[in-house]
Amino acid sequence: MKQFDYIRAGANSDVTGTPDATIIAGGTNLLDLMKLEVMTPDRLVDISRLDLKQITPTRDGGLRIGALVTNSDLAADMTVRSDYAALSSALLACASGQLRNKATTGGNLLQRTRCYYFYDTDQPCNKRDPGSGCSAMEGANRLHAILGVTDKCIASHPSDMAVAMQMLGAEVEIEAADGVTRTVPLSDFYLIPTDPAVETVLQPGELITAVILPAPAEGRQTYRKVRDRASYAFAMVSVAARIKVTDGKITQAAIACGGIGSMPWRDPAVEDALIGQEPSREVFGKAADILVAEAAPKEGNAFKVPLARRTLIATLKELTGVQQ
């Protein structure tokens, strides 16, 4: 690991006033990348002592989650467990207890892909070394994305938490160097990898201060994760979904998927295909067809197309009680 300067932030301005610094909170992803010299920051700013660790209600009945709230504390919060159950389930499925105790809300949103070639500094990777190429295109790509990919990058986004927050309609609160705060819908926070090295709308010197959840919506919600082993593995496919059925018809639907996209994937057309329909295997199948209609699989991850269909259908059946 190369030498670096270490700064302990005492106020938000210590971060926003240092645009060339790399932020460290829990360090559950960053430290691994530094050890492998995938990331070699000259300056680290430790934000772990900033006052960003509260979970508080908002005026409109939602929830404001500080950027430094740990994954463990967020999953265990009684309001999250009762009103945002898919989020609690996603957090509990994302990592071991030790990692959840350190990993933070803001850090989870910003974690880097687990693409093998991104981690191997001997291999070309446009995300790590822009313009060098994407080794995963014709290489080992079993874990990689089938949606939201480009000819420059097919890496998948690894977060479970962000998938649930995408379904819930979360917003990201961001503070700039001048102290002005803006909020960005999570659906606009991540970028398609036309420039793989630029993953979010964050500008140099900006700091994520919180995630805002809207007031709880009606209906049943869940998080389903398909992975290679029962625990502590990244999703091959995951689905966060909320469905409300009124008088035998679906009146509300919110769906986001993980493991298959370059970002937490939400396609409004999938939800629109469900609204106004009577729950059935046929209706769910049509929605699943829309989900994967624009998939661009490679040889190693083509199985994700039928797996994504089956996972979405199984999730919708669970939420609506459809048996056939």
Side-chain angles (χ1 to χ4, degrees), residues 69-89:
V69 173
T70 66
N71 288 177
S72 289
D73 287 345
L74 185 57
D77 183 85
M78 292 306 298
T79 300
V80 174
R81 291 176 61 185
S82 62
D83 296 340
Y84 307 95
L87 175 57
S88 181
S89 296

Side-chain angles (χ1 to χ4, degrees), residues 70-118:
T70 66
N71 288 177
S72 289
D73 287 345
L74 185 57
D77 183 85
M78 292 306 298
T79 300
V80 174
R81 291 176 61 185
S82 62
D83 296 340
Y84 307 95
L87 175 57
S88 181
S89 296
L91 287 162
L92 293 173
C94 74
S96 67
Q98 293 92 331
L99 287 175
R100 294 198 303 269
N101 288 341
K102 292 293 292 182
T104 63
T105 299
N108 192 305
L109 292 180
L110 296 176
Q111 64 180 298
R112 310 298 300 275
T113 182
R114 270 38 177 213
C115 172
Y116 320 113
Y117 302 103
F118 175 68

Side-chain angles (χ1 to χ4, degrees), residues 34-304:
M34 289 176 65
K35 291 174 184 177
L36 295 170
E37 296 191 351
V38 174
M39 294 183 67
T40 55
D42 295 316
R43 182 177 300 174
L44 279 186
V45 177
D46 181 355
I47 67 170
S48 61
R49 291 164 179 79
L50 296 183
D51 187 24
L52 302 172
K53 301 178 181 179
Q54 291 79 35
I55 303 173
T56 54
T58 62
R59 292 181 178 178
D60 62 357
L63 211 60
R64 183 182 185 275
I65 304 163
L68 291 178
V69 173
T70 66
N71 288 177
S72 289
D73 287 345
L74 185 57
D77 183 85
M78 292 306 298
T79 300
V80 174
R81 291 176 61 185
S82 62
D83 296 340
Y84 307 95
L87 175 57
S88 181
S89 296
L91 287 162
L92 293 173
C94 74
S96 67
Q98 293 92 331
L99 287 175
R100 294 198 303 269
N101 288 341
K102 292 293 292 182
T104 63
T105 299
N108 192 305
L109 292 180
L110 296 176
Q111 64 180 298
R112 310 298 300 275
T113 182
R114 270 38 177 213
C115 172
Y116 320 113
Y117 302 103
F118 175 68
Y119 273 72
D120 186 348
T121 56
D122 290 330
Q123 298 292 326
C125 171
N126 285 325
K127 193 177 287 290
R128 174 173 32 81
D129 183 13
S132 63
C134 177
S135 300
M137 290 286 182
E138 305 302 330
N141 46 40
R142 183 171 180 269
L143 296 178
H144 290 65
I146 59 174
L147 293 170
V149 299
T150 68
D151 59 356
K152 296 180 180 178
C153 182
I154 61 171
S156 60
H157 194 276
S159 177
D160 290 285
M161 182 195 80
V163 175
M165 286 185 168
Q166 186 83 289
M167 181 274 290
L168 292 167
E171 295 184 330
V172 184
E173 182 184 279
I174 301 169
E175 184 175 323
D178 57 4
V180 174
T181 297
R182 63 185 175 115
T183 57
V184 177
L186 189 60
S187 56
D188 297 330
F189 182 72
Y190 295 107
L191 301 174
I192 294 292
T194 51
D195 180 356
V198 182
E199 299 176 344
T200 72
V201 299
L202 279 178
Q203 299 298 310
E206 288 189 325
L207 172 68
I208 294 177
T209 50
V211 173
I212 312 297
L213 297 181
E218 296 179 339
R220 298 181 63 195
Q221 59 180 263
T222 192
Y223 182 76
R224 179 180 291 246
K225 181 175 181 177
V226 180
R227 45 191 165 175
D228 282 336
R229 57 182 187 270
S231 61
Y232 318 144
F234 293 100
M236 290 296 172
V237 175
S238 65
V239 175
R242 177 182 60 82
I243 298 292
K244 181 182 179 184
V245 178
T246 305
D247 297 329
K249 292 189 176 181
I250 298 172
T251 54
Q252 294 183 29
I255 297 168
C257 297
I260 59 174
S262 57
M263 63 182 72
W265 198 258
R266 185 171 183 178
D267 184 349
V270 177
E271 301 166 5
D272 291 343
L274 297 170
I275 302 296
Q277 302 296 317
E278 295 183 5
S280 70
R281 176 65 173 76
E282 181 181 4
V283 167
F284 300 158
K286 290 179 179 179
D289 288 339
I290 294 172
L291 173 64
V292 299
E294 297 185 6
K298 297 294 182 180
E299 181 179 359
N301 65 0
F303 72 94
K304 286 191 175 185

Side-chain angles (χ1 to χ4, degrees), residues 7-32:
I7 300 169
R8 181 176 294 172
N12 291 5
S13 58
D14 293 338
V15 182
T16 57
T18 315
D20 61 336
T22 297
I23 294 172
I24 184 170
T28 57
N29 187 205
L30 177 61
L31 291 180
D32 286 341

